[in-house]
Amino acid sequence: MASNTTVIEEGTDFTPEFDSNGLIPAIAQDARTGQILMVAYMNRAALDLTIQTGYATYFSRSRRKLWKKGQESGHFQKVEQILVDCDQDCLILKVAVEAGQCHTGYQSCFYRTLAKGSSK
Amino acid sequence: MASNTTVIEEGTDFTPEFDSNGLIPAIAQDARTGQILMVAYMNRAALDLTIQTGYATYFSRSRRKLWKKGQESGHFQKVEQILVDCDQDCLILKVAVEAGQCHTGYQSCFYRTLAKGSSK
């Protein structure tokens, strides 16, 4: 009989592992360029809405509510593909996007690079 | 006086935000292809070792110990660049890699795609 690990890692069933807060991290990656745009979290409802609507919906940990990306900024994320990792505790959303995806105005939330060898 | 949020989001100081378990998620991305290889977690010591050695070191949540990626498999991750996001609670490591990066043998841990519109 297949072990639980085998089922999770090699099976075709999607059984996302939500953490103790009921959340799973989701990486939004530009489907065209490969640039990582942001990382946010989903609860079950956010994931279901994302799948049903085809647009990324997250759960805001600070506001404690569902948050359709773009609902205020207009910068929606059209989901082209969802990938899940080996232990099913992280997702990638490959998304089609237009303007700046970070609330700061940058295209990606990852707009800063550490100086080589520095921890500052 | 600049607000704390302004300092975190717009400052040049690297002040990584570790969660209540002392961890920060780190996305390993192939520096050459842009493929997302895996997501793992770092504590302060893992991050410091990564910066000091130039090779990715994580903190294994299951084994509760530092884990230099590749120490068993030989599939090390040479860190070319580290990026941090707007609120400094997530990192990207742009890495140079050779063989399969996932313990399952795939090049990426994200080797499965959800069927369109399906939550299975």
Side-chain angles (χ1 to χ4, degrees):
Chain A
M1 191 173 166
S3 73
N4 194 40
T5 302
T6 305
V7 171
I8 292 169
E9 294 187 347
E10 298 174 21
T12 55
D13 284 355
F14 180 50
T15 54
E17 174 80 8
F18 296 93
D19 68 12
S20 58
N21 295 312
L23 300 175
I24 189 168
I27 305 167
Q29 183 179 29
D30 188 318
R32 190 173 56 82
T33 66
Q35 184 179 29
I36 297 172
L37 301 170
M38 56 178 275
V39 173
Y41 292 80
M42 292 181 168
N43 60 5
R44 179 82 243 185
L47 176 57
D48 287 345
L49 276 168
T50 298
I51 292 168
Q52 286 161 23
T53 64
Y55 284 88
T57 296
Y58 302 101
F59 181 79
S60 168
R61 295 175 299 170
S62 54
R63 289 175 286 156
R64 310 291 309 160
K65 63 173 189 179
L66 290 171
W67 157 55
K68 182 175 181 179
K69 171 70 184 165
Q71 68 189 15
E72 288 175 15
S73 63
H75 302 149
F76 296 101
Q77 295 177 340
K78 189 171 189 325
V79 178
E80 297 196 348
Q81 201 177 41
I82 301 177
L83 293 94
V84 63
D85 71 346
C86 46
D87 50 3
Q88 303 214 26
D89 66 357
C90 189
L91 305 174
I92 295 174
L93 309 183
K94 296 222 175 185
V95 297
V97 291
E98 293 176 0
Q101 284 291 305
C102 181
H103 73 286
T104 57
Y106 291 96
Q107 180 62 3
S108 164
C109 293
F110 296 87
Y111 48 83
R112 285 174 296 188
T113 304
L114 260 70
K116 199 84 177 177
S118 166
S119 59
K120 303 283 183 185
Chain B
M1 192 172 163
S3 74
N4 194 38
T5 301
T6 305
V7 171
I8 293 170
E9 294 187 348
E10 298 175 22
T12 54
D13 283 356
F14 179 50
T15 53
E17 174 81 6
F18 296 93
D19 68 13
S20 58
N21 295 313
L23 301 175
I24 189 168
I27 305 166
Q29 183 178 29
D30 189 316
R32 190 174 54 82
T33 66
Q35 184 179 30
I36 296 172
L37 302 170
M38 55 176 277
V39 173
Y41 293 80
M42 292 181 168
N43 61 5
R44 179 82 244 186
L47 177 57
D48 287 346
L49 277 168
T50 298
I51 293 169
Q52 287 161 22
T53 64
Y55 284 87
T57 296
Y58 303 101
F59 181 80
S60 168
R61 294 175 300 169
S62 55
R63 289 175 285 157
R64 311 290 309 160
K65 63 174 189 178
L66 291 171
W67 156 56
K68 182 175 181 180
K69 170 71 183 162
Q71 69 189 16
E72 288 175 16
S73 64
H75 301 150
F76 296 99
Q77 296 176 339
K78 189 172 190 324
V79 178
E80 298 195 348
Q81 200 177 39
I82 301 177
L83 294 93
V84 62
D85 72 346
C86 47
D87 50 4
Q88 303 213 27
D89 65 357
C90 189
L91 304 174
I92 295 173
L93 309 184
K94 296 221 177 186
V95 296
V97 291
E98 292 176 4
Q101 284 291 304
C102 182
H103 74 287
T104 57
Y106 292 97
Q107 179 63 2
S108 165
C109 293
F110 295 88
Y111 48 84
R112 286 173 295 188
T113 304
L114 260 69
K116 199 88 175 174
S118 166
S119 59
K120 302 286 181 185

